Amino acid sequence: AHFSNARCFCFEPSPGAVEYLQQNVARFPNAEVFPIGLYSEDTSMPLFEGASQCLQNSLYNSAETSESTQTVELRHAGHMLDELELNQISILKIDTEGAELPVLGALKNKLGDIDQIYLEYHSEDDRRDIEALLADTHVLAAAAAKYIHRGTNHYVRSSLLKDYPTLNALRVDRS
């Protein structure tokens, strides 16, 4: 709403959730919905349906999913961005209920072209692996964890700190 010229690309593999997504972005003419998921390869996989709602759908069975599945189409995240000719991304939000690390891994060569990344992690191992993957290109800007193994992190591209010195205002210089 604040950036009327911004383009928004939304990926959602679950048919039921796609309907909600299309309704939610209908008033934004620059938002495009793709009824596929992003992943580390082009493939089809079972999507476990959420135990109580479609926002819990996941490629991985967990306490928040049911045994019911539906097969969904997934695309290699990096290849999909290439097809869309997305060479620079202002904000990337990844909420894939456990597939955040495979998606980021598929974007490894593009991470330096992404200004901000918002994501959810679903295990301590994933959080650490995400930190390692982003260490060369991004800094942690904000984080919240209400539960063990579950939290949200916001990363900012490291090179932006040179362009916007106020981002470093609270940094302690130990030299």
Side-chain angles (χ1 to χ4, degrees):
H2 296 288
F3 302 97
S4 60
N5 292 329
R7 294 173 62 199
C8 182
F9 299 88
C10 310
F11 299 90
E12 175 55 59
S14 169
V18 166
E19 289 180 34
Y20 288 115
L21 179 56
Q22 288 172 330
Q23 291 172 17
N24 287 339
V25 301
R27 66 186 184 110
F28 302 108
N30 293 338
E32 189 171 350
V33 175
F34 296 85
I36 58 172
L38 298 180
Y39 197 58
S40 56
E41 61 181 313
D42 291 341
T43 190
S44 295
M45 289 178 67
L47 181 72
F48 290 90
E49 295 179 6
S52 62
Q53 56 164 311
C54 68
L55 296 177
Q56 297 170 319
N57 293 349
S58 178
L59 297 174
Y60 308 103
N61 196 3
S62 74
E64 293 185 317
T65 61
S66 69
E67 294 299 320
S68 297
T69 64
Q70 56 184 315
T71 301
V72 296
E73 180 186 352
L74 305 172
R75 294 289 312 280
H76 184 282
H79 299 162
M80 191 70 210
L81 297 187
D82 286 343
E83 286 178 29
L84 294 169
E85 298 179 354
L86 295 176
N87 300 318
Q88 198 281 326
I89 298 172
S90 297
I91 299 172
L92 176 68
K93 179 180 181 274
I94 306 174
D95 187 356
T96 55
E97 298 305 313
E100 290 79 9
L101 195 55
V103 171
L104 277 176
L107 296 173
K108 186 173 183 159
N109 295 334
K110 299 178 179 304
L111 293 175
D113 298 322
I114 303 170
D115 292 342
Q116 298 180 72
I117 300 172
Y118 291 87
L119 59 79
E120 189 174 74
Y121 63 87
H122 294 81
S123 74
E124 182 62 10
D125 289 339
D126 277 1
R127 185 193 66 75
R128 290 173 189 244
D129 289 344
I130 289 166
E131 289 285 329
L133 185 61
L134 296 177
D136 291 338
T137 56
H138 289 76
V139 295
L140 181 65
K146 288 177 67 173
Y147 307 102
I148 294 175
H149 301 298
R150 180 68 50 90
T152 56
N153 289 352
H154 169 210
Y155 299 90
V156 172
R157 186 167 39 93
S158 304
S159 60
L160 290 177
L161 300 179
K162 294 175 189 160
D163 298 336
Y164 300 95
T166 56
L167 293 174
N168 272 326
L170 298 179
R171 182 179 185 148
V172 174
D173 187 5
R174 293 190 208 173
S175 52

PDB file of all heavy atoms in Angstrom, residues 32-55:
ATOM      1  N   GLU A  32       1.607 -10.599  -8.062  1.00  0.00           N
ATOM      2  CA  GLU A  32       1.355 -11.751  -8.915  1.00  0.00           C
ATOM      3  C   GLU A  32       1.476 -13.027  -8.083  1.00  0.00           C
ATOM      4  O   GLU A  32       2.442 -13.197  -7.338  1.00  0.00           O
ATOM      5  CB  GLU A  32       2.359 -11.767 -10.062  1.00  0.00           C
ATOM      6  CG  GLU A  32       2.054 -12.777 -11.115  1.00  0.00           C
ATOM      7  CD  GLU A  32       2.946 -12.626 -12.348  1.00  0.00           C
ATOM      8  OE1 GLU A  32       3.666 -11.620 -12.453  1.00  0.00           O
ATOM      9  OE2 GLU A  32       2.909 -13.536 -13.185  1.00  0.00           O
ATOM     10  N   VAL A  33       0.503 -13.904  -8.208  1.00  0.00           N
ATOM     11  CA  VAL A  33       0.468 -15.148  -7.441  1.00  0.00           C
ATOM     12  C   VAL A  33       0.842 -16.316  -8.358  1.00  0.00           C
ATOM     13  O   VAL A  33       0.292 -16.464  -9.438  1.00  0.00           O
ATOM     14  CB  VAL A  33      -0.928 -15.378  -6.824  1.00  0.00           C
ATOM     15  CG1 VAL A  33      -1.003 -16.731  -6.133  1.00  0.00           C
ATOM     16  CG2 VAL A  33      -1.273 -14.249  -5.855  1.00  0.00           C
ATOM     17  N   PHE A  34       1.764 -17.134  -7.884  1.00  0.00           N
ATOM     18  CA  PHE A  34       2.179 -18.341  -8.591  1.00  0.00           C
ATOM     19  C   PHE A  34       1.743 -19.549  -7.763  1.00  0.00           C
ATOM     20  O   PHE A  34       2.148 -19.664  -6.600  1.00  0.00           O
ATOM     21  CB  PHE A  34       3.694 -18.362  -8.776  1.00  0.00           C
ATOM     22  CG  PHE A  34       4.211 -17.265  -9.645  1.00  0.00           C
ATOM     23  CD1 PHE A  34       4.477 -16.007  -9.120  1.00  0.00           C
ATOM     24  CD2 PHE A  34       4.414 -17.472 -10.998  1.00  0.00           C
ATOM     25  CE1 PHE A  34       4.941 -14.981  -9.916  1.00  0.00           C
ATOM     26  CE2 PHE A  34       4.877 -16.452 -11.811  1.00  0.00           C
ATOM     27  CZ  PHE A  34       5.139 -15.197 -11.271  1.00  0.00           C
ATOM     28  N   PRO A  35       0.941 -20.450  -8.323  1.00  0.00           N
ATOM     29  CA  PRO A  35       0.444 -21.600  -7.552  1.00  0.00           C
ATOM     30  C   PRO A  35       1.466 -22.740  -7.489  1.00  0.00           C
ATOM     31  O   PRO A  35       1.161 -23.895  -7.785  1.00  0.00           O
ATOM     32  CB  PRO A  35      -0.814 -22.004  -8.327  1.00  0.00           C
ATOM     33  CG  PRO A  35      -0.513 -21.635  -9.732  1.00  0.00           C
ATOM     34  CD  PRO A  35       0.333 -20.389  -9.648  1.00  0.00           C
ATOM     35  N   ILE A  36       2.683 -22.398  -7.103  1.00  0.00           N
ATOM     36  CA  ILE A  36       3.773 -23.361  -6.931  1.00  0.00           C
ATOM     37  C   ILE A  36       4.577 -22.958  -5.712  1.00  0.00           C
ATOM     38  O   ILE A  36       4.490 -21.819  -5.252  1.00  0.00           O
ATOM     39  CB  ILE A  36       4.709 -23.401  -8.166  1.00  0.00           C
ATOM     40  CG1 ILE A  36       5.297 -22.013  -8.425  1.00  0.00           C
ATOM     41  CG2 ILE A  36       3.992 -23.950  -9.393  1.00  0.00           C
ATOM     42  CD1 ILE A  36       6.364 -21.967  -9.497  1.00  0.00           C
ATOM     43  N   GLY A  37       5.376 -23.863  -5.207  1.00  0.00           N
ATOM     44  CA  GLY A  37       6.274 -23.548  -4.117  1.00  0.00           C
ATOM     45  C   GLY A  37       7.693 -23.420  -4.620  1.00  0.00           C
ATOM     46  O   GLY A  37       8.025 -23.905  -5.705  1.00  0.00           O
ATOM     47  N   LEU A  38       8.541 -22.764  -3.848  1.00  0.00           N
ATOM     48  CA  LEU A  38       9.960 -22.672  -4.171  1.00  0.00           C
ATOM     49  C   LEU A  38      10.714 -23.667  -3.300  1.00  0.00           C
ATOM     50  O   LEU A  38      10.339 -23.927  -2.156  1.00  0.00           O
ATOM     51  CB  LEU A  38      10.474 -21.256  -3.950  1.00  0.00           C
ATOM     52  CG  LEU A  38       9.829 -20.183  -4.822  1.00  0.00           C
ATOM     53  CD1 LEU A  38      10.431 -18.818  -4.517  1.00  0.00           C
ATOM     54  CD2 LEU A  38       9.951 -20.513  -6.298  1.00  0.00           C
ATOM     55  N   TYR A  39      11.801 -24.206  -3.865  1.00  0.00           N
ATOM     56  CA  TYR A  39      12.546 -25.249  -3.169  1.00  0.00           C
ATOM     57  C   TYR A  39      13.964 -25.280  -3.724  1.00  0.00           C
ATOM     58  O   TYR A  39      14.369 -24.380  -4.473  1.00  0.00           O
ATOM     59  CB  TYR A  39      11.826 -26.593  -3.362  1.00  0.00           C
ATOM     60  CG  TYR A  39      12.236 -27.678  -2.404  1.00  0.00           C
ATOM     61  CD1 TYR A  39      12.119 -27.520  -1.034  1.00  0.00           C
ATOM     62  CD2 TYR A  39      12.735 -28.877  -2.886  1.00  0.00           C
ATOM     63  CE1 TYR A  39      12.492 -28.524  -0.162  1.00  0.00           C
ATOM     64  CE2 TYR A  39      13.106 -29.906  -2.020  1.00  0.00           C
ATOM     65  CZ  TYR A  39      12.982 -29.704  -0.662  1.00  0.00           C
ATOM     66  OH  TYR A  39      13.353 -30.715   0.202  1.00  0.00           O
ATOM     67  N   SER A  40      14.716 -26.325  -3.441  1.00  0.00           N
ATOM     68  CA  SER A  40      16.089 -26.452  -3.892  1.00  0.00           C
ATOM     69  C   SER A  40      16.209 -27.187  -5.222  1.00  0.00           C
ATOM     70  O   SER A  40      17.314 -27.352  -5.735  1.00  0.00           O
ATOM     71  CB  SER A  40      16.928 -27.176  -2.841  1.00  0.00           C
ATOM     72  OG  SER A  40      16.354 -28.435  -2.543  1.00  0.00           O
ATOM     73  N   GLU A  41      15.088 -27.625  -5.791  1.00  0.00           N
ATOM     74  CA  GLU A  41      15.077 -28.321  -7.073  1.00  0.00           C
ATOM     75  C   GLU A  41      13.676 -28.252  -7.669  1.00  0.00           C
ATOM     76  O   GLU A  41      12.716 -27.926  -6.976  1.00  0.00           O
ATOM     77  CB  GLU A  41      15.496 -29.786  -6.900  1.00  0.00           C
ATOM     78  CG  GLU A  41      14.551 -30.574  -5.982  1.00  0.00           C
ATOM     79  CD  GLU A  41      14.974 -32.020  -5.788  1.00  0.00           C
ATOM     80  OE1 GLU A  41      15.300 -32.688  -6.798  1.00  0.00           O
ATOM     81  OE2 GLU A  41      14.978 -32.466  -4.635  1.00  0.00           O
ATOM     82  N   ASP A  42      13.581 -28.578  -8.950  1.00  0.00           N
ATOM     83  CA  ASP A  42      12.280 -28.720  -9.593  1.00  0.00           C
ATOM     84  C   ASP A  42      11.781 -30.122  -9.287  1.00  0.00           C
ATOM     85  O   ASP A  42      12.439 -31.109  -9.646  1.00  0.00           O
ATOM     86  CB  ASP A  42      12.389 -28.547 -11.113  1.00  0.00           C
ATOM     87  CG  ASP A  42      12.718 -27.128 -11.535  1.00  0.00           C
ATOM     88  OD1 ASP A  42      12.519 -26.203 -10.728  1.00  0.00           O
ATOM     89  OD2 ASP A  42      13.164 -26.952 -12.679  1.00  0.00           O
ATOM     90  N   THR A  43      10.647 -30.229  -8.608  1.00  0.00           N
ATOM     91  CA  THR A  43      10.141 -31.528  -8.202  1.00  0.00           C
ATOM     92  C   THR A  43       8.682 -31.428  -7.788  1.00  0.00           C
ATOM     93  O   THR A  43       8.125 -30.334  -7.717  1.00  0.00           O
ATOM     94  CB  THR A  43      10.991 -32.105  -7.038  1.00  0.00           C
ATOM     95  OG1 THR A  43      10.630 -33.462  -6.796  1.00  0.00           O
ATOM     96  CG2 THR A  43      10.825 -31.293  -5.759  1.00  0.00           C
ATOM     97  N   SER A  44       8.082 -32.563  -7.523  1.00  0.00           N
ATOM     98  CA  SER A  44       6.763 -32.638  -6.874  1.00  0.00           C
ATOM     99  C   SER A  44       6.957 -33.377  -5.567  1.00  0.00           C
ATOM    100  O   SER A  44       7.734 -34.335  -5.505  1.00  0.00           O
ATOM    101  CB  SER A  44       5.763 -33.394  -7.752  1.00  0.00           C
ATOM    102  OG  SER A  44       5.524 -32.691  -8.940  1.00  0.00           O
ATOM    103  N   MET A  45       6.281 -32.913  -4.540  1.00  0.00           N
ATOM    104  CA  MET A  45       6.410 -33.545  -3.220  1.00  0.00           C
ATOM    105  C   MET A  45       5.060 -33.541  -2.533  1.00  0.00           C
ATOM    106  O   MET A  45       4.205 -32.705  -2.839  1.00  0.00           O
ATOM    107  CB  MET A  45       7.414 -32.780  -2.344  1.00  0.00           C
ATOM    108  CG  MET A  45       8.851 -32.931  -2.776  1.00  0.00           C
ATOM    109  SD  MET A  45      10.006 -31.963  -1.737  1.00  0.00           S
ATOM    110  CE  MET A  45       9.880 -32.796  -0.160  1.00  0.00           C
ATOM    111  N   PRO A  46       4.876 -34.447  -1.566  1.00  0.00           N
ATOM    112  CA  PRO A  46       3.658 -34.381  -0.765  1.00  0.00           C
ATOM    113  C   PRO A  46       3.714 -33.187   0.191  1.00  0.00           C
ATOM    114  O   PRO A  46       4.754 -32.933   0.788  1.00  0.00           O
ATOM    115  CB  PRO A  46       3.639 -35.704  -0.006  1.00  0.00           C
ATOM    116  CG  PRO A  46       5.031 -36.217  -0.051  1.00  0.00           C
ATOM    117  CD  PRO A  46       5.700 -35.601  -1.242  1.00  0.00           C
ATOM    118  N   LEU A  47       2.630 -32.469   0.281  1.00  0.00           N
ATOM    119  CA  LEU A  47       2.490 -31.359   1.224  1.00  0.00           C
ATOM    120  C   LEU A  47       1.560 -31.834   2.328  1.00  0.00           C
ATOM    121  O   LEU A  47       0.405 -32.186   2.069  1.00  0.00           O
ATOM    122  CB  LEU A  47       1.902 -30.130   0.529  1.00  0.00           C
ATOM    123  CG  LEU A  47       1.720 -28.886   1.396  1.00  0.00           C
ATOM    124  CD1 LEU A  47       3.076 -28.255   1.704  1.00  0.00           C
ATOM    125  CD2 LEU A  47       0.815 -27.881   0.700  1.00  0.00           C
ATOM    126  N   PHE A  48       2.066 -31.888   3.552  1.00  0.00           N
ATOM    127  CA  PHE A  48       1.241 -32.293   4.687  1.00  0.00           C
ATOM    128  C   PHE A  48       0.312 -31.144   5.046  1.00  0.00           C
ATOM    129  O   PHE A  48       0.755 -30.005   5.181  1.00  0.00           O
ATOM    130  CB  PHE A  48       2.119 -32.653   5.896  1.00  0.00           C
ATOM    131  CG  PHE A  48       2.890 -33.929   5.707  1.00  0.00           C
ATOM    132  CD1 PHE A  48       4.151 -33.904   5.138  1.00  0.00           C
ATOM    133  CD2 PHE A  48       2.344 -35.147   6.080  1.00  0.00           C
ATOM    134  CE1 PHE A  48       4.868 -35.072   4.943  1.00  0.00           C
ATOM    135  CE2 PHE A  48       3.056 -36.321   5.899  1.00  0.00           C
ATOM    136  CZ  PHE A  48       4.316 -36.289   5.323  1.00  0.00           C
ATOM    137  N   GLU A  49      -0.949 -31.443   5.168  1.00  0.00           N
ATOM    138  CA  GLU A  49      -1.932 -30.413   5.510  1.00  0.00           C
ATOM    139  C   GLU A  49      -1.830 -30.073   6.990  1.00  0.00           C
ATOM    140  O   GLU A  49      -1.552 -30.932   7.826  1.00  0.00           O
ATOM    141  CB  GLU A  49      -3.332 -30.900   5.151  1.00  0.00           C
ATOM    142  CG  GLU A  49      -3.498 -31.092   3.656  1.00  0.00           C
ATOM    143  CD  GLU A  49      -4.882 -31.594   3.264  1.00  0.00           C
ATOM    144  OE1 GLU A  49      -5.759 -31.691   4.137  1.00  0.00           O
ATOM    145  OE2 GLU A  49      -5.066 -31.885   2.071  1.00  0.00           O
ATOM    146  N   GLY A  50      -2.065 -28.806   7.297  1.00  0.00           N
ATOM    147  CA  GLY A  50      -2.004 -28.354   8.676  1.00  0.00           C
ATOM    148  C   GLY A  50      -3.031 -29.052   9.539  1.00  0.00           C
ATOM    149  O   GLY A  50      -4.132 -29.368   9.094  1.00  0.00           O
ATOM    150  N   ALA A  51      -2.662 -29.289  10.793  1.00  0.00           N
ATOM    151  CA  ALA A  51      -3.557 -29.987  11.715  1.00  0.00           C
ATOM    152  C   ALA A  51      -4.833 -29.192  11.973  1.00  0.00           C
ATOM    153  O   ALA A  51      -5.905 -29.770  12.123  1.00  0.00           O
ATOM    154  CB  ALA A  51      -2.833 -30.271  13.032  1.00  0.00           C
ATOM    155  N   SER A  52      -4.721 -27.853  11.997  1.00  0.00           N
ATOM    156  CA  SER A  52      -5.904 -27.047  12.293  1.00  0.00           C
ATOM    157  C   SER A  52      -6.175 -25.950  11.269  1.00  0.00           C
ATOM    158  O   SER A  52      -7.231 -25.347  11.302  1.00  0.00           O
ATOM    159  CB  SER A  52      -5.786 -26.427  13.687  1.00  0.00           C
ATOM    160  OG  SER A  52      -4.674 -25.550  13.755  1.00  0.00           O
ATOM    161  N   GLN A  53      -5.208 -25.673  10.371  1.00  0.00           N
ATOM    162  CA  GLN A  53      -5.391 -24.609   9.385  1.00  0.00           C
ATOM    163  C   GLN A  53      -4.361 -24.756   8.264  1.00  0.00           C
ATOM    164  O   GLN A  53      -3.326 -25.386   8.442  1.00  0.00           O
ATOM    165  CB  GLN A  53      -5.251 -23.236  10.039  1.00  0.00           C
ATOM    166  CG  GLN A  53      -3.919 -23.071  10.748  1.00  0.00           C
ATOM    167  CD  GLN A  53      -3.598 -21.657  11.065  1.00  0.00           C
ATOM    168  OE1 GLN A  53      -3.713 -20.812  10.188  1.00  0.00           O
ATOM    169  NE2 GLN A  53      -3.186 -21.381  12.287  1.00  0.00           N
ATOM    170  N   CYS A  54      -4.645 -24.119   7.129  1.00  0.00           N
ATOM    171  CA  CYS A  54      -3.741 -24.248   5.978  1.00  0.00           C
ATOM    172  C   CYS A  54      -2.428 -23.512   6.178  1.00  0.00           C
ATOM    173  O   CYS A  54      -1.457 -23.798   5.479  1.00  0.00           O
ATOM    174  CB  CYS A  54      -4.436 -23.801   4.695  1.00  0.00           C
ATOM    175  SG  CYS A  54      -4.816 -22.043   4.598  1.00  0.00           S
ATOM    176  N   LEU A  55      -2.339 -22.591   7.134  1.00  0.00           N
ATOM    177  CA  LEU A  55      -1.081 -21.894   7.379  1.00  0.00           C
ATOM    178  C   LEU A  55      -0.034 -22.807   8.006  1.00  0.00           C
ATOM    179  O   LEU A  55       1.123 -22.432   8.137  1.00  0.00           O
ATOM    180  CB  LEU A  55      -1.310 -20.667   8.269  1.00  0.00           C
ATOM    181  CG  LEU A  55      -2.191 -19.574   7.668  1.00  0.00           C
ATOM    182  CD1 LEU A  55      -2.408 -18.455   8.667  1.00  0.00           C
ATOM    183  CD2 LEU A  55      -1.580 -19.036   6.383  1.00  0.00           C
TER     184      LEU A  55
END
